[in-house]
């Protein structure tokens, strides 16, 4: 068994927020091409640019030694990375030794075979992304995925003892007619469900984003008309707000990064699979950690690099200021207008959203 990470002073940003949550992207690759996330002909990164599993674990261990208590493994699709269980097993070894929770966000395609190994590694909760219960729609949205292995994966996850939460991106004109059905379906399975407002990610054809955008205020109003919703307090330090659905007894969450600001309590940072650390999603400020692991500068103090990145964590993101403005979704924007957004989109893509 690897040694316990030495406890170092915690990571606290200039605004007094303690960083306790790392979102760790382990690949940019995916077996799906969800229309809101990736172009169909997406070019994946050269393998040499992607951190090895050992490098990812080294960085994760450094974060845990500085007080990170929760790690979410994401992607791309994390469960398609070759030998990814090696990383889960390594990180699972930190549970109870600084790390409090190890979770994963997945499209569910590989869950049927991976659920039990994930549980054995110490994972207890998984987020599974599912935007529709209609097989043809699922195929159209993911451009290549099948719904049935995902549903089988959900069942396997529950059989293995994993607690499953469903993430659903609310998409105008696509699944807006299914939102109530999704709430009922999740309720019948006793699964919590979170709706996510679509964000300007991925390099998509002009006009697509405007066409996809469905404000969660609208989702909430619709669900409120159909179900009895009671707000509940769940402080995850994140952007979700939660309601209990009286009719099902389950909770629904709404994540509206575009129309709400949740920065005051932000406790999280993101690492891309290439080793870029983003202290804030909505800012382009970033630190490259890969040089601290490889090449000439290998041996540079990883801890110092991480602390220095956290010192740049801004007070708030700029999404709400700039991107909730409907004009930013205008297909007629110039390339220049898109430049910052594209940088954010790239970051989002490799950090797992
Ligand atoms: N492949 C995994 C999955 O789909 O769950 C993990 C990575 S995926 C990028 C993480 C989450 O981001 C998923 O729940 C996905 O639905 C969400 N996501 C991707 N693109 C998005 C977008 N443009 N707006 C909002 N959420 C998005
Ligand atoms: Fe793949 Fe997840 Fe993006 Fe869909 S949302 S293309 S499953 S990374």
């Amino acid at each position: 068994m690897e040694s316990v990470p030495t406890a170092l002073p915690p990571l606290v940003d200039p605004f007094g927020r303690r960083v306790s949550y790392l979102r760790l992207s382990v690949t940019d690759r995916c077996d799906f091409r969800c229309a809101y996330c990736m172009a169909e002909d997406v070019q994946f990164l050269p393998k040499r640019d992607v951190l090895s599993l050992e490098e990812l674990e080294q960085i994760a261990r450094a974060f845990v030694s500085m007080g990170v208590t929760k790690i979410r493994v994401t992607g791309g699709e994390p469960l398609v990375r070759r030998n990814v269980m090696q990383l889960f097993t390594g990180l699972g070894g930190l549970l109870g030794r600084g790390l409090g929770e190890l979770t994963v966000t997945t499209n569910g395609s590989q869950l049927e075979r991976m659920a039990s190994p994930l549980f054995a590694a110490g994972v207890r909760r998984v987020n599974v992304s599912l935007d529709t219960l209609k097989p043809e729609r699922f195929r159209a949205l993911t451009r290549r995925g099948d719904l049935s292995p995902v549903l089988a994966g959900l069942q396997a996850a529950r059989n293995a003892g994993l607690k499953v939460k469903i993430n659903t991106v609310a998409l105008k004109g696509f699944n807006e007619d299914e939102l109530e059905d999704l709430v009922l379906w999740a309720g019948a399975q006793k699964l919590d469900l979170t709706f996510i407002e679509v964000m300007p990610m991925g390099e998509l054809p002009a006009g697509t984003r405007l066409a996809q955008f469905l404000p969660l205020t609208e989702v909430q109003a619709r669900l409120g008309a159909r179900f009895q919703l009671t707000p509940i307090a769940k402080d995850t330090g994140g952007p979700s707000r939660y309601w209990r659905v009286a009719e099902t007894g389950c909770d629904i969450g709404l994540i509206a990064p575009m129309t709400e600001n949740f920065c005051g309590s932000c406790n999280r940072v993101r690492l891309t699979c290439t080793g870029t650390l983003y202290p804030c999603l909505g800012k382009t400020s970033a630190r490259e950690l890969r040089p601290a692991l490889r090449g000439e500068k290998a041996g540079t103090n990883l801890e110092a690099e991480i602390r220095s990145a956290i010192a740049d964590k801004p007070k708030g993101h700029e999404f709400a200021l700039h991107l909730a403005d409907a004009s930013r979704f205008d297909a007629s924007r110039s390339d220049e207008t898109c430049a910052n957004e594209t940088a954010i989109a790239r970051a989002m893509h490799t950090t797992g959203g």
Side-chain angles (χ1 to χ4, degrees):
M1 185 185 280
E2 287 248 26
S3 60
V4 184
T6 319
L8 298 169
L11 287 169
V12 182
D13 77 9
F15 305 97
R17 293 167 301 187
R18 191 170 163 164
V19 174
S20 57
Y21 180 2
L22 172 66
R23 293 180 71 103
L24 184 66
S25 174
V26 300
T27 183
D28 64 322
R29 279 152 213 267
C30 188
D31 50 345
F32 293 175
R33 300 286 185 277
C34 300
Y36 50 75
C37 178
M38 287 186 195
E40 199 159 7
D41 57 352
V42 60
Q43 291 295 310
F44 292 118
L45 295 163
K47 282 204 173 133
R48 62 175 179 280
D49 291 351
V50 175
L51 297 183
S52 68
L53 295 172
E54 291 76 12
E55 289 169 330
L56 286 164
E57 186 177 334
Q58 189 181 344
I59 294 178
R61 292 177 78 86
F63 272 100
V64 172
S65 72
M66 290 182 272
V68 161
T69 55
K70 175 170 174 178
I71 296 178
R72 176 175 299 283
V73 176
T74 175
E77 172 47 42
L79 301 186
V80 299
R81 173 136 188 195
R82 189 190 296 249
N83 295 332
V84 74
M85 282 314 305
Q86 175 194 319
L87 179 67
F88 279 103
T89 305
L91 298 180
L94 301 175
L95 287 164
R97 304 153 86 213
L99 186 62
E101 187 175 15
L102 176 61
T103 63
V104 58
T105 299
T106 173
N107 65 24
S109 68
Q110 312 298 314
L111 256 187
E112 196 171 9
R113 71 185 168 87
M114 308 247 324
S116 290
L118 285 170
F119 187 89
V123 174
R124 293 293 174 267
R125 297 197 303 163
V126 295
N127 285 2
V128 179
S129 304
L130 184 61
D131 304 321
T132 174
L133 294 167
K134 299 183 192 289
E136 318 78 51
R137 271 191 190 180
F138 187 89
R139 166 58 65 120
L141 182 71
T142 61
R143 298 196 186 105
R144 56 191 64 193
D146 285 326
L147 179 61
S148 57
V150 175
L151 297 179
L154 283 173
Q155 193 52 49
R158 296 168 52 171
N159 293 347
L162 295 166
K163 186 158 169 47
V164 179
K165 182 167 78 75
I166 304 295
N167 281 347
T168 300
V169 178
L171 296 160
K172 191 171 183 167
F174 184 80
N175 63 1
E176 58 184 323
D177 61 343
E178 263 191 271
L179 303 179
E180 290 90 345
D181 287 349
L182 279 156
V183 170
L184 289 171
W185 169 83
Q189 323 266 323
K190 295 290 161 223
L191 299 172
D192 291 339
L193 169 69
T194 292
F195 289 107
I196 306 174
E197 202 168 68
V198 72
M199 292 182 277
M201 295 159 60
E203 289 162 36
L204 306 178
T208 312
R209 289 174 192 140
L210 175 62
Q212 292 175 341
F213 188 63
L214 177 63
L216 286 196
T217 44
E218 227 175 288
V219 173
Q220 188 187 338
R222 277 189 214 181
L223 296 179
R226 168 75 170 75
F227 301 108
Q228 197 186 324
L229 304 180
T230 312
I232 51 170
K234 261 194 202 182
D235 186 11
T236 58
S240 287
R241 289 176 298 128
Y242 295 93
W243 280 264
R244 175 78 31 95
V245 183
E247 288 82 350
T248 66
C250 286
D251 297 343
I252 57 165
L254 299 178
I255 302 186
M258 303 297 295
T259 50
E260 288 188 25
N261 194 307
F262 47 84
C263 303
S265 59
C266 179
N267 61 352
R268 60 197 62 193
V269 294
R270 295 162 190 266
L271 186 83
T272 72
C273 60
T274 57
T276 308
L277 178 60
Y278 286 91
C280 167
L281 171 66
K283 270 265 183 172
T284 45
S285 115
R287 185 67 49 115
E288 296 302 334
L289 298 184
R290 203 170 57 190
L293 302 165
R294 289 184 190 175
E296 281 172 28
K297 288 196 180 165
T300 308
N301 193 337
L302 185 58
E303 180 204 336
E305 289 290 329
I306 293 172
R307 286 194 193 282
S308 157
I310 301 304
D312 286 343
K313 189 167 165 68
K315 191 169 184 188
H317 68 62
E318 292 176 343
F319 270 150
L321 290 176
H322 299 303
L323 301 179
D325 171 0
S327 65
R328 296 276 299 182
F329 285 89
D330 188 338
S332 64
R333 292 170 308 166
S334 70
D335 284 354
E336 212 174 312
T337 319
C338 292
N340 185 46
E341 192 178 304
T342 304
I344 294 169
R346 289 218 173 92
M348 292 282 298
H349 175 59
T350 45
T351 55

